[in-house]
Amino acid sequence: MTFKVIVSLMWVAVVSSGINSIQALSDDKARLSATVDPQVRALLLGRNAFKLQQYVKSLTPEDKSLTAVLARAQVAVLAYDFEHASSLLSQAELTLSGTGDERLKAHVVSLQYLNFAAQGDYQGYLNYAADQPSFLPPAFVRELERRVKKGRVQTIKPKTSTYLENKTPKGPYMLFDGVINGNNASVLIDTGSDQTVLSRGHAEKFGLSPVGEAQVQGPSAEFRNFGFSQLESITLGNVEQINIPVTVPIAKALDQRVAQTSDIILGFQETYRLGGVKIDADGHTIKGFERFNPAVSNKSPLDTNLLIYNHKPLVKVHIEGDVYSCLIDTGASSSFVSEDIFKKYKKTLKLKSGKKTRAQLLGEASAQKLKTIKELPLTVNGTPIILKRVARRKNSDTDYCFLGNDTIKAAGGLTFDFVNMQAKFGPIN
């Protein structure tokens, strides 16, 4: 029986138990009041961002209802259309003023946080949130204040692009040579992580002293404690980023697992700030990386085929005409779908079970033995792909789906254009 270990940081940062009140896409369905259409409420609270995008496309310009305003605002946040999102969220706040709907107001505050955080503008969020302190847990405020004192995240963008060769073309991950606080380091690119993470030993190596404590929830709903710190700089090729917030595992076992992967695990936020990534598929795994030149974006939230859910990239997947929103996770060697997806299409697509596989996500106590789908035909952003030995996981979210490096290999490559929020599967140019 083949043994696979799949490592990923598919985690949502939680600074304290109270931070749940400001999570953008909470599973707490009591978050939104009855003033929002019940069917749209499920879209607002669920993972299927592209279904929400489809709903917004169906709206008429004349529709100024609270449901429509919230849906438009959330899609703009998901599309990283910062200016448009800010304007729409202000409309939502104006619509909510005088309603006394505290739950709905908290939802808007959470979307505002995601919009500011994606830009690295923590001071902007603190200024905005000063009028609604009841929504902000003290531990969260203290961490934002620490980040502000250290300085805003910045990216020094050269005029020319850079190309880096994967250090381990026969391995399961994207590992590159980089420089952290002036020290040479191996960098793992993990788009499935909303955090940039390094072990305690590597933190000391780079002169960091973690402070505070965060609770981070993993994909198995288990919580792990992390400390906070901030890198002075990290450089990949000729692209340098400064004042990068990082987290450091407190639990010894998890800290050891992080240390075994690389010197640092670069999360999606830092990957996004590179402007774009091209990944080539050659034989066993990916082997390319490139930064795009800066460009003026004419993107519309309704035209993008790349949406960002809790600081992780989603692409549009069609299975038998049904739309799913799947995470692209370069920190995972293989793909997962929910057991419900297998059951739904078992007869129509004549799906067959494959050999079981052992898989483990970073944050889970141990590896799990999972059933697989022998072959799963799907279309990702318009590109037909046949995935083999797709792992099946039981999950309360029927849309649960994430695509690992096997998807990139099957497609022949992947191009992320973060300037225009596009993801193209197929051989790179």
Side-chain angles (χ1 to χ4, degrees):
M1 179 178 296
T2 303
F3 179 84
K4 294 182 181 179
V5 176
I6 303 170
V7 179
S8 173
L9 281 175
M10 293 179 54
W11 288 5
V12 178
V14 182
V15 179
S16 72
S17 59
I19 196 70
N20 290 323
S21 64
I22 64 167
Q23 281 183 306
L25 303 174
S26 168
D27 291 331
D28 180 8
K29 295 188 178 181
R31 169 67 60 86
L32 299 183
S33 73
T35 57
V36 174
D37 180 274
Q39 292 183 343
V40 181
R41 180 192 307 162
L43 293 177
L44 290 167
L45 296 175
R47 285 172 47 94
N48 204 325
F50 286 100
K51 279 188 177 179
L52 182 63
Q53 186 190 56
Q54 283 186 337
Y55 166 75
V56 173
K57 285 183 177 180
S58 72
L59 295 173
T60 63
E62 296 74 25
D63 191 342
K64 305 296 184 183
S65 66
L66 179 58
T67 298
V69 171
L70 269 176
R72 290 190 184 106
Q74 188 155 310
V75 168
V77 172
L78 292 167
Y80 273 26
D81 188 355
F82 305 127
E83 185 175 349
H84 193 203
S86 178
S87 174
L88 287 167
L89 289 169
S90 295
Q91 289 183 38
E93 289 180 321
L94 182 63
T95 306
L96 282 168
S97 62
T99 65
D101 194 332
E102 299 303 315
R103 289 177 177 174
L104 207 51
K105 290 178 182 178
H107 184 69
V108 172
V109 171
S110 70
L111 292 173
Q112 289 278 21
Y113 169 66
L114 284 185
N115 202 42
F116 281 108
Q119 302 171 75
D121 187 5
Y122 302 110
Q123 181 63 64
Y125 179 70
L126 286 173
N127 293 341
Y128 157 78
D131 294 332
Q132 43 262 0
S134 61
F135 293 136
L136 299 177
F140 181 66
V141 174
R142 288 194 296 271
E143 170 54 21
L144 290 185
E145 290 174 342
R146 276 194 291 267
R147 293 184 181 183
V148 169
K149 288 180 180 179
K150 289 286 187 178
R152 184 168 177 172
V153 176
Q154 297 182 44
T155 304
I156 301 173
K157 297 180 178 180
K159 294 181 180 179
T160 58
S161 61
T162 186
Y163 183 86
L164 297 176
E165 194 76 10
N166 187 359
K167 292 174 60 178
T168 57
K170 298 300 182 182
Y173 307 119
M174 299 173 65
L175 284 173
F176 302 103
D177 287 322
V179 178
I180 297 175
N181 288 359
N183 298 279
N184 293 332
S186 63
V187 181
L188 186 154
I189 303 292
D190 186 0
T191 59
S193 170
D194 63 347
Q195 304 285 308
T196 288
V197 182
L198 69 169
S199 70
R200 185 166 295 276
H202 287 127
E204 293 175 355
K205 173 183 175 182
F206 302 133
L208 304 180
S209 299
V211 297
E213 189 170 310
Q215 281 194 324
V216 177
Q217 185 178 19
S220 59
E222 297 177 351
F223 283 87
R224 294 287 186 268
N225 291 336
F226 277 64
F228 291 113
S229 194
Q230 197 156 12
L231 292 176
E232 292 180 5
S233 68
I234 180 169
T235 302
L236 284 172
N238 57 358
V239 180
E240 181 183 13
Q241 297 184 59
I242 60 177
N243 300 326
I244 304 301
V246 296
T247 52
V248 180
I250 292 177
K252 184 177 180 179
L254 181 56
D255 184 70
Q256 290 176 341
R257 291 196 62 200
V258 170
Q260 291 169 359
T261 61
S262 63
D263 291 337
I264 189 169
I265 298 174
L266 196 72
F268 176 73
Q269 284 296 90
E270 283 61 59
T271 304
Y272 165 80
R273 294 190 186 101
L274 296 172
V277 175
K278 290 184 178 182
I279 304 170
D280 189 15
D282 182 14
H284 182 68
T285 186
I286 54 182
K287 81 181 228 188
F289 175 89
E290 186 175 342
R291 202 199 77 79
F292 288 79
N293 291 324
V296 177
S297 172
N298 295 313
K299 68 175 182 282
S300 162
L302 303 184
D303 297 330
T304 64
N305 62 15
L306 177 66
L307 295 175
I308 313 302
Y309 173 92
N310 279 341
H311 307 311
K312 293 182 283 289
L314 299 179
V315 293
K316 186 187 298 184
V317 171
H318 286 88
I319 303 178
E320 285 257 291
D322 296 324
V323 176
Y324 293 90
S325 299
C326 294
L327 168 68
I328 286 291
D329 186 359
T330 60
S333 58
S334 300
S335 301
F336 289 91
V337 297
S338 71
E339 184 68 25
D340 289 334
I341 288 179
F342 173 72
K343 292 178 179 178
K344 181 174 181 178
Y345 302 105
K346 182 178 180 180
K347 290 184 178 180
T348 56
L349 293 178
K350 298 180 180 179
L351 301 179
K352 296 181 180 180
S353 293
K355 293 181 178 180
K356 290 185 178 181
T357 185
R358 292 180 65 85
Q360 184 175 4
L361 295 173
L362 191 59
E364 293 181 330
S366 59
Q368 299 182 42
K369 184 180 292 187
L370 300 174
K371 296 178 181 178
T372 65
I373 303 174
K374 193 171 183 179
E375 289 187 348
L376 176 63
L378 43 78
T379 301
V380 186
N381 282 3
T383 301
I385 297 173
I386 297 179
L387 291 181
K388 297 183 178 181
R389 291 200 68 195
V390 183
R392 295 144 53 186
R393 296 176 70 98
K394 292 183 179 180
N395 195 281
S396 58
D397 187 348
T398 57
D399 289 334
Y400 180 85
C401 165
F402 75 83
L403 307 176
N405 291 329
D406 56 339
T407 302
I408 300 172
K409 177 184 175 183
L414 168 63
T415 299
F416 276 129
D417 176 358
F418 299 132
V419 174
N420 296 292
M421 294 301 288
Q422 299 291 321
K424 178 182 177 182
F425 287 80
I428 66 174
N429 298 322

